[in-house]
Amino acid sequence: MSEKKVVFFPNLDGLRFVAFFSVFLAHSFFTTDPALLGSPLLQGLTFVTSRGILGVNFFFVLSGFLITYLLLVEKESKGTVNVKYFYFRRFLRIWPLYYAIVIFGFLVLPWAYGFVGKQLENSGDLLLYLTFLSNYDKTTGTAILGVLWSIAVEEQFYLIWPLVFFLVKSKNHAYVFYVIIIFSMIYRIVFEHDPDVLFKHTVSCISDMAVGGLGAYWAFSGLAQEKLKNFSKSGIALVYLIGLGLILTRSFWNTAFYGVYASERLIYSLFFLFVVLEQNYAENSLFKMQSFKWISKLGIYTYGLYMVHFISIYFVNLVFDRIGWNKSLFDLIVLETSIAFAGAVLLAIASFYVLENPFLKIKSKFSYIVKN
């Protein structure tokens, strides 16, 4: 490919890390000790950090925004979308580490348990994991495989999204986003009392990506810049306060009113989209993520961090339990969590340079867009 166009959003790496870290905290502080579980400090901490699971929703919005924006740029410049090259890029970015985690979870971890004379019960459906359909797996699987359901949702999204831009005329793209958002919303209302459907089903989740895609459409058309460029600092602060307030009070309002639980994905995704657009286009931002150098640097490794963090948490918890370093709040909250985070960072960096980077170099040969 002779022509390559650079598209780079300098604040996205930092936002990716924030999304990951919120998920990491949501998965941390696990204990079965009744004394620790009864601690008001731990209860208050987990009340706040459990909301971090919404970092997955944030990831979906970010993916929808970035992938859609790149497809819009490609279609405008080339007149069409190279669907085959799009698939190659996604395969090379996602598959190597994904399948490494699947192999580890289904083969290496059970073998390691057997080697030390223990048995690990793995009830996960291997075929669903191999085919990126694990979000439909009704079994418990193993802890380290738990994060893969969201990768499955994203891969299913990536499968259909370039076809939309290949088949649908540019002037009709916005209608596609609106239809998907409405259909996904109706689906969640119908299955309001089925938590598995609301949380993991692709039709339920895809509105997050469509909201991100709609934001990309607004940005590409210049509407986002027009509306947000001079948005006041106080207005930005108010939106952040409302969004964070809705997140912290989630357990109350999403059960207090019929239909709200089903609509919360849309509410949160709109807030997350505001954050993405505000960070990219507002001139009066309270802060810009790119100014936090270390956070932005770690954001480069976010895919690996997300994929391996449960492995680090799992083994650190196992070791602490074995040596008895899990008897105090300090052990659980500070020591164990810090070591698990450091382990996740080291694993992610190793994964990036040893496993991912060789495939990323190949990926660049199929890239029209070379940044982000």
Side-chain angles (χ1 to χ4, degrees), residues 154-174:
E154 291 213 5
E155 281 297 276
Q156 293 163 42
F157 164 70
Y158 294 146
L159 185 64
I160 64 170
W161 211 235
L163 298 177
V164 170
F165 292 86
F166 181 77
L167 298 173
V168 178
K169 293 181 179 180
S170 298
K171 64 179 183 179
N172 296 323
H173 286 160

Side-chain angles (χ1 to χ4, degrees), residues 195-325:
D196 287 336
V197 169
L198 290 176
F199 189 59
K200 293 184 177 181
H201 198 287
T202 304
V203 176
S204 175
C205 297
I206 201 170
S207 65
D208 291 349
M209 288 87 152
V211 167
L214 185 60
Y217 181 82
W218 290 337
F220 188 75
S221 67
L223 180 62
Q225 295 88 319
E226 177 187 335
K227 298 296 183 182
L228 289 172
K229 180 180 180 180
N230 298 314
F231 201 67
S232 69
K233 193 179 290 285
S234 59
I236 293 172
L238 179 61
V239 175
Y240 271 86
L241 286 173
I242 292 173
L244 293 174
L246 289 173
I247 289 172
L248 288 175
T249 57
R250 181 190 184 199
S251 58
F252 166 73
W253 65 266
N254 70 7
T255 56
F257 308 100
Y258 179 77
V260 174
Y261 187 44
S263 64
E264 68 165 359
R265 283 203 93 97
L266 180 59
I267 295 169
Y268 291 132
S269 64
L270 289 172
F271 170 60
F272 296 146
L273 176 62
F274 173 82
V275 174
V276 172
L277 295 178
E278 178 272 323
Q279 282 290 294
N280 285 327
Y281 302 116
E283 294 185 352
N284 299 314
S285 298
L286 303 175
F287 59 89
K288 292 290 188 185
M289 290 306 305
Q290 63 179 316
S291 65
F292 302 101
K293 301 300 182 183
W294 281 106
I295 291 178
S296 295
K297 179 67 174 178
L298 287 173
I300 298 172
Y301 311 110
T302 300
Y303 176 55
L305 284 167
Y306 181 76
M307 293 291 280
V308 305
H309 78 276
F310 227 132
I311 296 176
S312 185
I313 291 173
Y314 184 83
F315 278 101
V316 171
N317 184 269
L318 204 64
V319 170
F320 270 50
D321 184 60
R322 176 62 63 90
I323 63 180
W325 286 10

